[in-house]
């Protein structure tokens, strides 16, 4: 039996690191960490037509942003071609694989005939060597593929650590192509050799790979390799019950970064997609690793809920270290065109605003009032102001000018002014907000004015009240 747990995440760089892949990586990472094992990153880049350097970089960037550190790798399949060809030669020599010269046209005709006869389309083994069988003459102008000589009787049986016992009859499996006519090995073959060479003990992947597993097990057995344990994780569905795709919104991990989600919040949410630990909703990555067990993964698909993710992200923003949150917010402020050198200390602004923000994008937009003043529109100000309030505004300006500038003193001054003039608080607070920030929507007015600063507040109030009075 395996003594040291070794898991792997093996994405294909034909696109970005998507949410389903990130959850698979998270589960594989957590299982390795839980068992004090090794987590391997492998890039399966043999699809030359679709693999791109940009996708490779996006995967690496996504893993780095999420904080899913790997112990070995990244390994690239294209750099392992000599090893694959060595194993192919070995299998050919031992009669575990053979050359097949069937043309694409012959294979198409074969499948059409099988469908017409009501049979499942499959390779008919015409080039498979058997005792007493005479093979066709080798054509001179055909570059052959290499096929694995799959067992023809019995069944492949394994205990899936998520799905339970699975049994696939070998009669359902034909002889898989393991190398194309140009000599390049195929996906299922490369995966087997990689898992064997890298001593992977637990293959944790999406359940769209279940059909590949019996083929891979048979190849591993032919090579005399120790079989890993398999755990196939159910897919993630959109809120409409359909498989998660681009039409459901953000599916790239890096897109969530751009939309202002914290990596810890996204990981927490992904961990809860199909896995649970009692009623715990919020937990750290370390807690997840401590608690994680493959047997606790739900066999049913999980539904992605953006509103729940936003709520969870808000909890993480509320609980974050203010300095770290300010650092994470800085690039979003730059995107908004805001210069934090011209205004209050950013950590103070973050501390005031973070209760109201679901994402860093929200937080940056709310911070705009402290770093970019846009005088209120005349119509907006008129909607919250009548001339009867003007004396109160002039009075609060005088009161604020004499204050020791602290939120509690500002609060008391506004309250006293409201009482003196017989007003309800919104009657004064709303125009006060508009005049000093340009918007009617701010956090508590006393703390907002405190952060804007005494001189700036007084200047804006005087300019606006003079404009109205004039």
């Amino acid at each position: 039996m395996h003594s040291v747990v070794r898991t792997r995440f093996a994405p294909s760089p034909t696109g970005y690191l998507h949410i389903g892949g990130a959850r698979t990586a998270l589960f594989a990472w957590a299982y390795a960490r839980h068992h004090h094992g090794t987590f391997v990153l492998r890039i399966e880049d043999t699809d030359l037509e679709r693999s791109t350097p940009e996708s490779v970089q996006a995967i690496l960037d996504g893993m780095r942003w999420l904080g899913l550190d790997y112990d070995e790798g990244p390994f690239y399949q294209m750099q392992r071609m000599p090893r694959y060809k060595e194993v192919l030669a070995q299998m050919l020599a031992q009669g575990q694989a053979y050359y097949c010269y069937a043309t694409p046209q012959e294979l198409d005709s074969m499948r059409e005939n099988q469908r017409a006869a009501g049979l499942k389309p499959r390779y008919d083994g015409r080039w498979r060597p058997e005792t007493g069988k005479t093979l066709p003459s080798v054509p001179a102008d055909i570059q052959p593929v290499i096929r694995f000589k799959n067992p023809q009787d019995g069944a492949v049986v394994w205990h899936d650590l998520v799905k339970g016992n699975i049994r696939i009859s070998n009669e359902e499996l034909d002889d898989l192509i393991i190398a194309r006519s140009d000599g390049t090995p195929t996906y299922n073959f490369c995966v087997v050799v990689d898992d064997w060479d890298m001593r992977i003990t637990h293959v944790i992947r999406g359940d769209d790979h279940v059909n590949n597993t019996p083929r891979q097990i048979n190849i591993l057995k032919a090579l005399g390799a120790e079989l890993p344990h398999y755990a196939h994780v159910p897919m993630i569905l959109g809120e409409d019950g359909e498989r998660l795709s681009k039409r459901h919104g953000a599916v790239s991990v890096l897109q969530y970064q751009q939309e202002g989600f914290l990596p810890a919040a996204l990981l927490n949410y992904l961990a809860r997609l199909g896995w649970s630990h009692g009623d715990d909703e919020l937990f750290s990555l370390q807690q997840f690793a401590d608690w994680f067990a493959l047997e606790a993964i739900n066999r049913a698909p999980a539904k992605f809920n953006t509103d729940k993710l936003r709520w969870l992200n808000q909890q993480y923003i509320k609980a974050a270290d203010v300095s770290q949150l300010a650092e994470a917010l800085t690039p979003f402020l730059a995107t908004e065109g805001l210069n934090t050198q011209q205004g209050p200390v950013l950590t103070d602004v973050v501390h005031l605003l973070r209760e109201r923000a679901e994402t860093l994008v929200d937080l940056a937009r709310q911070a705009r009032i402290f770093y970019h003043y846009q005088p209120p529109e005349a119509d907006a100000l008129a909607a919250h102001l009548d001339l009867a309030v003007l004396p109160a505004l002039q009075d609060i300006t005088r009161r604020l000018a004499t204050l020791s500038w602290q939120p509690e003193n500002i609060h008391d001054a506004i309250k006293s002014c409201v009482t003196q003039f017989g007003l309800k608080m919104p009657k004064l607070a709303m125009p006060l907000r508009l005049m000093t920030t340009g918007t009617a929507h701010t956090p508590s007015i006393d703390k907002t004015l405190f952060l804007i600063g005494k001189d700036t507040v007084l200047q804006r109030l005087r300019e606006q009240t003079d404009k109205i009075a004039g």
Side-chain angles (χ1 to χ4, degrees), residues 203-379:
V203 174
I204 301 167
R205 58 189 179 188
D207 63 2
D208 52 334
H209 287 283
V210 167
N211 290 337
N212 292 325
T213 302
R215 298 181 180 279
Q216 294 173 10
I217 288 176
N218 279 341
I219 298 174
L220 284 164
K221 286 181 176 179
L223 293 171
E226 187 173 0
L227 298 181
H229 300 284
Y230 291 91
H232 289 93
V233 181
M235 69 178 67
I236 300 174
L237 304 179
E239 294 174 58
D240 57 1
E242 297 295 322
R243 184 166 183 169
L244 195 66
S245 63
K246 290 182 180 179
R247 66 185 178 83
H248 292 100
V251 291
S252 163
V253 164
L254 294 178
Q255 190 171 339
Y256 285 97
Q257 180 189 24
Q258 294 162 10
E259 292 182 0
F261 289 88
L262 299 178
L266 183 58
L267 286 172
N268 191 155
Y269 182 72
L270 291 177
R272 290 282 285 114
L273 274 181
W275 174 91
S276 61
H277 184 268
D279 295 326
D280 292 289
E281 289 279 1
L282 284 88
F283 42 80
S284 68
L285 195 55
Q286 184 58 55
Q287 285 176 308
F288 176 57
D290 291 343
W291 296 337
F292 185 67
L294 292 170
E295 293 77 10
I297 297 175
N298 197 318
R299 296 185 184 184
K303 283 190 178 182
F304 194 90
N305 185 313
T306 303
D307 290 340
K308 183 66 178 290
L309 172 59
R310 292 180 70 88
W311 173 84
L312 195 63
N313 200 58
Q314 185 175 34
Q315 308 315 304
Y316 271 82
I317 287 175
K318 288 180 181 180
D321 175 83
V322 173
S323 297
Q324 293 178 354
L325 192 59
E327 183 179 351
L329 182 64
T330 300
F332 293 89
L333 294 169
T335 299
E336 290 285 316
L338 303 177
N339 181 0
T340 57
Q341 302 303 310
Q342 299 176 352
V345 175
L346 181 56
T347 50
D348 293 339
V349 172
V350 167
H351 188 270
L352 175 62
L353 295 177
R354 64 179 179 169
E355 292 287 325
R356 300 157 57 94
E358 291 186 337
T359 68
L360 295 178
V361 171
D362 294 341
L363 195 53
R365 288 172 180 165
Q366 292 172 25
R368 170 172 286 275
I369 61 172
F370 296 103
Y371 301 107
H372 178 78
Y373 178 61
Q374 182 69 39
E377 297 286 340
D379 291 347

Side-chain angles (χ1 to χ4, degrees), residues 78 178 284 328 421:
M78 286 303 297
I178 56 176
S284 68
F421 285 86

Side-chain angles (χ1 to χ4, degrees), residues 98 123-136 149 152 175:
Y98 61 92
Y123 177 65
D124 62 6
R126 62 184 62 184
W127 284 95
R128 178 184 174 113
E130 301 285 3
T131 303
K133 177 180 177 181
T134 301
L135 296 176
K149 199 174 182 183
Q152 292 184 312
D175 289 353

Side-chain angles (χ1 to χ4, degrees), residues 32-186:
R33 293 292 172 263
H34 181 87
H35 292 278
H36 308 288
T38 300
F39 177 53
V40 178
L41 177 63
R42 187 170 78 219
I43 306 296
E44 298 186 339
D45 56 350
T46 56
D47 188 340
L48 298 179
E49 291 185 2
R50 298 174 61 215
S51 297
T52 66
E54 292 78 15
S55 293
V56 171
Q57 192 59 51
I59 290 168
L60 298 178
D61 290 345
M63 295 287 285
R64 187 180 303 110
W65 178 67
L66 289 171
L68 296 179
D69 54 316
Y70 38 92
D71 305 297
E72 296 179 11
F75 298 109
Y76 297 88
Q77 287 184 329
M78 286 303 297
Q79 296 175 5
R80 288 175 46 78
M81 284 296 153
R83 172 58 177 157
Y84 301 140
K85 292 184 178 181
E86 175 189 350
V87 178
L88 285 168
Q90 171 191 322
M91 295 181 73
L92 286 167
Q94 294 178 354
Q96 298 163 334
Y98 61 92
Y99 290 112
C100 171
Y101 295 85
T103 65
Q105 294 77 16
E106 289 175 326
L107 294 173
D108 288 343
S109 176
M110 177 183 66
R111 295 187 188 104
E112 288 176 11
N113 292 336
Q114 289 167 337
R115 289 192 190 94
L119 302 174
K120 177 182 177 181
R122 49 180 292 149
Y123 177 65
D124 62 6
R126 62 184 62 184
W127 284 95
R128 178 184 174 113
E130 301 285 3
T131 303
K133 177 180 177 181
T134 301
L135 296 176
S137 299
V138 174
D141 57 344
I142 299 296
Q143 288 294 322
V145 299
I146 299 177
R147 290 185 181 269
F148 170 61
K149 199 174 182 183
N150 196 78
Q152 292 184 312
D153 53 14
V156 184
V157 180
W158 77 94
H159 178 73
D160 193 282
L161 296 178
V162 174
K163 294 182 169 297
N165 293 330
I166 298 178
R167 184 182 191 277
I168 304 292
S169 171
N170 276 316
E171 293 180 354
E172 295 292 315
L173 309 173
D174 58 7
D175 289 353
L176 178 72
I177 295 175
I178 56 176
R180 304 175 185 89
S181 58
D182 63 1
T184 59
T186 59

